[in-house]
């Protein structure tokens, strides 16, 4: 077996895109972007048509010989396939091509390894890499596993190198799972504190490069790394902020999804995606300018279903500056927003996003003309904090007249928090009467 050195950043690569009738066809342009994101220098892009995968090479032997000629002519170091290959298929291809071969999963893992910055992110990447590597130990470059992973354990007496590597991987996987459980426990404590304080969590999800981090930075006034590339950010990021009309919320940015993401990868990153599982509201950010938008939406919904996320979803169609759409809200029910069209880059429609999020979290917004006595300044301060006051003026008796746009139950909550009698606030009386009447009618039913 050839002893191929472990791949370095910036290798000369040939891409092989295979269209198989029995499998989902993948986007060739996305494949190219994935390879570029991993730092590959793309020498050639080969397209192959197949009715079904070949058990030995995944592609036909004639096409394998053609790629082998390209490898020799272009002095390629790496061949990347845009499908998952079995360990046997990778080994068979390497024997003929005389260079390293990786599949789509290996490519995505490499990008994850490049982008992981936090302790948790690095743990998750290493766990996913080891799970993937455990089925490919026979390959030549795995003989130096201890150097790759920083010297995990010692070799046992009488063990072959392969047996030693397998044992080391099992031990390390167990260690990583234990560490991630501790990370999960810490996260649970923080989440429990937020739930006790009734602080809603809004989680951004979406296909990679849909613009989640750009939108996150605008909403949270943050500086999370955002770039026009796949998997620009990998680690989960949480920010507490004051959202107009809602108050304190926790905004979470998560790793982007991608089509044909293997189950093992989803499992490895479940700790990252827990904020999605426990979110009060999901903002599914969609690249409205992408020609593959329907497939990308389906891929995200598939992962959300796999991890068991069942929170309400508001679809945010981003990049309308590129798609030509207009900023708007569409509804699937009279009081329930379904889609918001905006551009995080230009700022178009961001005010509509605030309105839609308020409606999703708090119900239909209503206009209230309130009259507050001079002693009720605390309620005015709270309303100003939420930025729901549209106009105000004082009358001759010193009472404050406010015009506010807010969800009824949020107004009731604020009045109670200020320890004020509802029936003494002019403008809230009619709301209180209707709410009590609705509660009475529902009990009668």
């Amino acid at each position: 077996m050839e002893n191929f050195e472990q791949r370095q950043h910036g290798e000369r690569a040939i891409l092989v895109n295979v269209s198989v009738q029995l499998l989902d066809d993948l986007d060739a342009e996305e494949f190219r972007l994935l390879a570029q994101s991993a730092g590959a220098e793309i020498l050639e892009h080969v397209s192959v048509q197949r009715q079904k995968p070949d058990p030995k090479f995944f592609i036909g032997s004639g096409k394998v010989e053609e790629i082998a000629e390209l490898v020799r002519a272009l002095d390629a170091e790496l061949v990347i396939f845009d499908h998952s290959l079995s360990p046997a298929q990778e080994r068979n291809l390497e024997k003929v091509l005389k260079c390293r071969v990786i599949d789509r999963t290996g490519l995505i893992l490499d990008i994850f390894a490049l982008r992981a910055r936090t302790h948790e992110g690095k743990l998750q990447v290493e766990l996913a890499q080891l799970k993937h590597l455990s089925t490919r130990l026979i390959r030549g470059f795995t003989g130096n596993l201890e150097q790759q992973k920083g010297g995990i354990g010692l070799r046992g007496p009488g063990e072959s190198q392969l047996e030693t590597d397998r044992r080391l991987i099992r031990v390390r996987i167990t260690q990583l799972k234990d560490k991630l459980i501790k990370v999960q426990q810490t996260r649970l404590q923080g989440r429990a504190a937020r739930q006790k304080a009734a602080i809603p969590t809004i989680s951004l999800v979406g296909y990679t490069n849909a613009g989640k981090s750009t939108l996150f930075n605008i909403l949270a006034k943050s500086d999370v790394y955002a770039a026009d590339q796949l998997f620009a950010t990998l680690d989960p990021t949480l920010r507490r902020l004051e959202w107009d009309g809602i108050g304190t919320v926790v905004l979470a940015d998560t790793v982007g999804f991608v089509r044909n993401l293997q189950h093992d990868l989803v499992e490895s990153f479940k700790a990252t995606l827990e904020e999605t599982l426990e979110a009060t509201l999901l903002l599914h950010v969609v690249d409205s300018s992408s020609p593959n938008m329907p497939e990308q939406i389906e891929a995200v919904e598939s992962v959300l279903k796999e991890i068991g996320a069942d929170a309400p979803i508001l679809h945010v169609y981003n990049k309308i500056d590129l798609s030509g759409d207009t900023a708007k809200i569409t509804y699937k029910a009279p009081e329930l927003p379904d889609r918001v069209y905006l551009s995080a880059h230009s700022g178009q429609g961001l005010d509509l996003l605030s309105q839609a999020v308020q409606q999703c979290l708090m119900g239909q917004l209503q206009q209230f003309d309130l009259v507050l006595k001079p002693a009720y300044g605390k309620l005015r301060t709270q309303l100003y904090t939420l930025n729901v006051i549209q106009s105000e003026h004082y009358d001759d008796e010193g009472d404050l007249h406010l015009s506010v746009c807010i969800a009824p139950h949020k107004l009731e909550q604020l009045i109670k928090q200020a320890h004020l009698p509802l029936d003494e606030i002019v403008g809230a009386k009619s709301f209180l009467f209707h709410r009590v009447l609705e509660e009475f009618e529902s009990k009668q039913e």
Side-chain angles (χ1 to χ4, degrees):
M1 188 68 185
E2 299 288 344
N3 185 23
F4 305 123
E5 293 299 322
Q6 192 177 13
R7 175 159 58 105
Q8 299 297 320
H9 185 60
E11 277 184 299
R12 296 162 58 83
I14 293 174
L15 308 185
V16 182
N17 184 262
V18 188
S19 178
V20 183
Q21 290 184 5
L22 299 180
L23 301 175
D24 290 335
D25 284 344
L26 299 173
D27 182 13
E29 176 62 18
E30 179 182 281
F31 182 32
R32 184 184 65 80
L33 290 173
L34 281 169
Q36 287 181 338
S37 296
E41 179 188 345
I42 301 172
L43 305 176
E44 190 72 39
H45 198 143
V46 179
S47 296
V48 183
Q49 298 282 337
R50 294 283 301 179
Q51 274 199 327
K52 62 180 181 179
D54 178 78
K56 185 174 182 181
F57 294 117
F58 194 84
I59 59 177
S61 56
K63 187 60 79 170
V64 173
E65 291 295 338
E66 179 185 323
I67 296 171
E69 288 293 333
L70 280 173
V71 170
R72 288 191 288 270
L74 300 175
D75 192 26
E77 304 167 277
L78 179 67
V79 175
I80 310 174
F81 279 72
D82 192 20
H83 277 282
S84 294
L85 301 175
S86 70
Q89 287 169 339
E90 285 191 12
R91 294 194 296 270
N92 294 335
L93 286 165
E94 286 183 341
K95 287 178 183 178
V96 177
L97 300 179
K98 307 297 182 186
C99 73
R100 291 190 66 252
V101 174
I102 65 170
D103 63 1
R104 180 182 180 86
T105 301
L107 177 61
I108 292 174
L109 281 172
D110 184 86
I111 299 171
F112 282 4
L114 285 171
R115 302 283 161 74
R117 292 177 176 85
T118 66
H119 175 64
E120 178 186 359
K122 291 174 181 177
L123 288 176
Q124 290 176 134
V125 169
E126 186 179 352
L127 177 60
Q129 285 178 320
L130 287 176
K131 285 183 175 180
H132 187 64
L133 180 62
S134 63
T135 62
R136 288 157 168 79
L137 279 181
I138 198 168
R139 290 171 54 160
F141 69 88
T142 59
N144 295 321
L145 180 64
E146 292 90 341
Q147 283 115 4
Q148 291 180 32
K149 298 301 173 186
I152 313 165
L154 300 171
R155 184 180 306 181
E159 288 183 308
S160 70
Q161 183 64 53
L162 183 59
E163 290 168 338
T164 302
D165 287 349
R166 283 176 174 161
R167 180 174 58 82
L168 293 172
I169 283 181
R170 287 196 299 270
V171 171
R172 183 58 177 163
I173 285 176
T174 301
Q175 292 173 343
L176 290 170
K177 286 181 176 179
D178 289 343
K179 289 182 179 180
L180 283 170
I181 287 174
K182 292 179 180 177
V183 171
Q184 182 184 30
Q185 291 171 344
T186 302
R187 194 183 293 276
L188 282 172
Q189 290 174 356
R191 190 179 301 124
R194 294 198 301 270
Q195 291 172 346
K196 186 176 180 180
I199 299 175
T201 297
I202 301 173
S203 185
L204 300 179
V205 298
Y207 207 79
T208 182
N209 204 33
K212 296 187 308 302
S213 294
T214 301
L215 182 60
F216 179 89
N217 285 338
I218 292 172
L219 296 175
K221 298 179 176 59
S222 185
D223 58 353
V224 171
Y225 179 68
D228 186 16
Q229 59 184 204
L230 302 184
F231 300 113
T233 54
L234 176 63
D235 302 304
T237 307
L238 281 73
R239 294 287 187 275
R240 183 177 292 217
L241 63 128
E242 297 298 323
W243 196 308
D244 288 351
I246 301 170
T248 303
V249 302
V250 171
L251 191 66
D253 187 18
T254 60
V255 61
F257 301 155
V258 71
R259 291 174 68 191
N260 285 42
L261 196 61
Q262 281 198 341
H263 178 75
D264 282 348
L265 286 180
V266 176
E267 279 294 313
S268 297
F269 285 83
K270 264 194 173 178
T272 300
L273 298 171
E274 276 182 358
E275 294 304 333
T276 299
L277 286 171
E278 300 296 334
T280 312
L281 176 67
L282 298 180
L283 300 186
H284 178 179
V285 183
V286 177
D287 181 356
S288 63
S289 68
S290 172
N292 301 304
M293 182 177 67
E295 292 84 0
Q296 293 177 357
I297 293 174
E298 183 181 352
V300 173
E301 291 177 347
S302 175
V303 175
L304 291 176
K305 183 178 180 181
E306 183 174 351
I307 65 176
D310 58 359
I313 299 176
L314 174 64
H315 295 85
V316 179
Y317 283 71
N318 189 25
K319 304 186 182 182
I320 61 171
D321 52 322
L322 300 178
S323 66
D325 291 312
T326 57
K328 61 185 176 183
I329 303 176
T330 63
Y331 292 81
K332 58 183 176 183
E335 298 182 1
L336 189 60
D338 178 44
R339 301 179 181 180
V340 179
Y341 290 79
L342 56 79
S343 169
H345 179 70
S346 69
Q348 296 172 263
L350 289 177
D351 55 333
L352 298 178
L353 176 62
S354 290
Q355 178 183 333
V357 169
Q358 287 181 57
Q359 292 173 355
C360 286
L361 291 180
M362 319 191 73
Q364 186 66 27
L365 303 180
Q366 292 185 23
Q367 189 78 28
F368 293 97
D369 294 317
L370 306 178
V371 181
L372 303 185
K373 297 178 180 179
Y376 295 171
K378 183 178 179 180
L379 177 59
R380 175 183 177 274
T381 301
Q382 290 175 316
L383 292 170
Y384 256 108
T385 300
L386 292 178
N387 197 23
V388 295
I389 297 179
Q390 297 180 322
S391 65
E392 68 172 359
H393 68 274
Y394 288 93
D395 61 23
D396 294 338
E397 297 180 0
D399 291 336
L400 178 63
H401 294 248
L402 295 174
S403 177
V404 300
C405 184
I406 192 171
H409 86 269
K410 183 64 176 180
L411 176 60
E412 180 183 8
Q413 179 187 15
L414 293 177
I415 293 173
K416 288 181 177 178
Q417 286 177 349
H419 304 292
L420 302 177
L422 269 167
D423 58 349
E424 288 188 15
I425 299 179
V426 177
K429 290 180 182 178
S430 59
F431 149 64
L432 177 63
F433 172 76
H434 287 300
R435 183 183 61 76
V436 172
L437 182 62
E438 287 174 358
E439 289 181 356
F440 175 76
E441 290 175 347
S442 64
K443 288 179 181 178
Q444 291 296 106
E445 292 176 358

